[in-house]
Amino acid sequence: MPKFAKYGPHVPDSLVQALEDDRVVIFCGAGVSMNAGLPSYAGLVAGCYNALGAALPPKKSPEWDWPDRMLGVLENDYPGEVRRVAAEILSAPPTDLRLHKAILDLAHLNRTQGLRLVTTNFDTYFEQAMDGADPPRFHAGPVLPIPRDDRVASWRSVAYLHGRLDDETANHHLVMTSADFGRAYLTEGWAARFVTRLFADFTVLFIGYSLNDPVLRYMTDAFAAEAATARHADRRERAYIFVESNAKHRPDPKRWRDRGVEPIFYNKERHHRRLRETIIGWAEARKDYLLSAETLIGRLAASRPQSLDPSDTDNLMWAVLGRPGDLGHGARAFANLQEPPPIDWLAEIERREAALLERWQKEVAEAEQAHTPLPARPVTHLEPLTPRIGTEGALALSDKSLHLITWLARSLASPELVQWVLEAQTGGRRPHPHLRAAIRTQLKRPLEPDEPPLPAGYTLFWRLVSGEGSWMGSTLPATAHWDLRAILADHQAEPWLRQELLALLQPVIHLSPSYARAIRAMMDDAGEAADEPDAPGATLESLTEGSVRLVAGDRMPTLAQAIDALHEVDAFLGQLTDELTGLLRAALDLFAVLGRADIDNDPGAIVRPSIRPHEQNRDHDHWARLVDWLWRGWKHLDLTAPQASRALVERWRHMPYLTFQRLRAAAVTDSDHFTLEEKLQVLIDA
């Protein structure tokens, strides 16, 4: 918890962060004006009695528990005079406006110009505290703004909840007596509606109130009454109050919590000086946010979040990502530390954003049920870095997101970052183009003196992940070509359908969590000895399981059935032998990128042990269908166009992969259009 003065109270982290997020409304009571020389509410009552020559009840009389009633009785005896006298008392020149200036600084909004502040005082000291600048906008009860947290800051003013001194109206609008409070909170209810909505949408901080303050009683009672019948009472935000204490006696916090308010205790010695210094120190620290944020980040970011006190973790996350309007300053300081902060912060950021989105989705569901305006989607900074495939331009990147990219690109030698990318791919996402570009830039960056090179496995993984070619994943949406198998038979001769089909048969690299790593983890958990693993990142296999798939993906089995069921399918495939050869070559090229294909061996030997149709052949690898169709297409050519058949086999001879050499050997052996010498040469070449 921050402590903004040497001996002052600790301000809760959640309150500091909520203020920076424009979710706090400060409520100012008589104690704030007392600091500038005005009396308390009870003192105002006594002043009115004395000025009008009325007899005051004894100091310990129960009547003092309800000073608003005392003022009402006095007004009945002296119609019109009470408000005149009260206005004279409250119009005295201020003796000290430092506290008012500090509260104004805390009330200023981050997302936009202006401020939000509520006072139940009648004086204009906040306006006088502006030092001659343009006075703030204000609203005065009963004409009040709608206190809605709509993230657009439509309410930007000082709200005088119980009215503002105004000689032109003889101050009849001021909520001073019990009758006034009754109208404001019960019969007319305009103050109750304002307080109820504000308590529901904002975190409230009370300054200058006591537990027995009639003003606080009316406000908290009004909210409790409304909440008892409200459909969404559980959505109320937290409320805090500074509570005076001393070394000998600390009030029971339950008394405050029963009213739905969390107390922040402070020592009241020396006329509440410690509270005053805390508020002023908080305002000064807020104005010097850039320096304080850098100091905080420099102190905490090098540690793993799980090793820090939760309070420190909250503070760091607020400094890096929580403060709106800082133009990414905190995230920049975080990303550019001399040593990149531990990648463990990635999971912490992701967890917080997931909770934020979960809460928003709940609020959306509640709003839909209540037929009220839907809440705006919260701003996230990590989530847009892995957009869904095909929607890469849909989510704009914030300044904070761009600096997170810098940090991630500096953390490439990290299994956790690899796992984060793999999990995103499993969910149909891939790194944002800006992140991919930053990774490529980092890979070609000259090494610093004594900086070890990135291990080969990491280097290959990030080259694959940051690749821009279509071979690194389809950009087609999930619904693309969903009806192709249904129209294939009717349009198989159409050139456009041929192109659509070939697009679905394009091979792409697919990366998934490493099977070897999973097995080692299971054996470690079971206490069994495992082979000495590769150092993390030494090989691609130590990080990920790489494979080759076709763009059609899970639709491949039904698409294959539709192709195989075509009328004169062999003739159809015979027309595609050049394209199928290119697709198979591309698939084996990708296996070569993964280090799994060359002239001596490739995965075709496993999934297609027989080039000719055979029960040993397996269909779990969809790319192997290319071998089957290419064989059937060649067979048709060999029967109908011998020259084309020979040309195709000759093309296969120059392919640097075992599967093509096996295709060539099977074709020459089966065909009647090759001489015995040519058949013998194939056996010699094998």
Side-chain angles (χ1 to χ4, degrees), residues 124-205:
T124 60
Y125 285 179
F126 279 115
E127 295 168 53
Q128 297 177 50
M130 296 296 289
D131 286 333
D134 292 336
R137 294 174 53 198
F138 67 84
H139 293 82
V143 182
L144 295 170
I146 299 174
R148 182 175 63 240
D149 184 13
D150 56 7
R151 304 289 180 179
V152 182
S154 56
W155 165 34
R156 290 175 289 175
S157 69
V158 177
Y160 292 84
L161 179 59
H162 294 160
R164 174 180 176 272
L165 288 177
D166 181 4
D167 293 336
E168 295 182 5
T169 64
N171 295 307
H172 290 301
H173 63 291
L174 300 182
V175 179
M176 297 175 58
T177 69
S178 56
D180 298 330
F181 280 106
R183 285 191 296 271
Y185 286 91
L186 296 174
T187 57
E188 296 176 6
W190 50 266
R193 288 191 295 273
F194 178 87
V195 168
T196 300
R197 181 60 187 265
L198 185 139
F199 277 28
D201 274 23
F202 292 94
T203 295
V204 175
L205 172 61

Side-chain angles (χ1 to χ4, degrees), residues 277-340:
E277 290 178 346
T278 290
I279 300 298
I280 292 172
W282 186 1
E284 290 176 349
R286 191 178 196 228
K287 287 192 292 186
D288 196 16
Y289 162 76
L290 298 184
L291 178 59
S292 60
E294 286 186 2
T295 302
L296 179 71
I297 291 167
R299 179 170 61 88
L300 299 176
S303 302
R304 289 178 167 80
Q306 57 268 33
S307 69
L308 293 174
D309 184 276
S311 173
D312 286 335
T313 300
D314 288 342
N315 284 335
L316 181 67
M317 287 290 92
W318 164 72
V320 174
L321 300 175
R323 192 176 195 270
D326 76 340
L327 301 178
H329 176 85
R332 184 190 307 113
F334 178 83
N336 292 329
L337 289 174
Q338 184 172 2
E339 289 294 328

Side-chain angles (χ1 to χ4, degrees), residues 437-454:
I439 292 171
R440 293 194 299 273
T441 299
Q442 184 73 11
L443 290 175
K444 66 183 180 183
R445 175 186 62 85
L447 295 177
E448 299 291 337
D450 301 325
E451 178 184 3
L454 189 67

Side-chain angles (χ1 to χ4, degrees), residues 343 408-422 436 439-440 442-444 447 452-467 472 511 514 517 520 534-544 593-594:
I343 200 64
L408 295 176
R410 297 179 65 199
S411 308
L412 299 186
S414 164
E416 293 83 2
L417 186 58
V418 169
Q419 185 66 21
W420 180 69
V421 170
L422 293 175
R436 301 202 299 268
I439 292 171
R440 293 194 299 273
Q442 184 73 11
L443 290 175
K444 66 183 180 183
L447 295 177
L454 189 67
Y458 281 122
T459 300
L460 178 55
F461 177 83
W462 293 117
R463 289 202 184 282
L464 297 178
V465 165
S466 64
M472 269 314 300
L511 302 175
S514 171
R517 288 187 64 192
R520 284 198 299 271
D534 294 326
T539 63
L540 185 65
E541 291 75 16
S542 69
L543 299 173
T544 181
V593 169
L594 298 173

Side-chain angles (χ1 to χ4, degrees), residues 531-587:
D531 294 337
E532 186 67 25
D534 294 326
T539 63
L540 185 65
E541 291 75 16
S542 69
L543 299 173
T544 181
E545 199 77 25
S547 61
V548 175
R549 297 185 178 181
L550 302 184
V551 168
D554 293 338
R555 288 169 289 173
M556 191 61 194
T558 55
L559 179 61
Q561 290 175 5
I563 292 175
D564 291 341
L566 288 175
H567 178 63
E568 296 185 355
V569 60
D570 290 344
F572 175 73
L573 294 174
Q575 298 171 3
L576 296 177
T577 50
D578 283 340
E579 290 84 351
L580 291 171
T581 296
L583 292 172
L584 181 57
R585 166 67 188 263

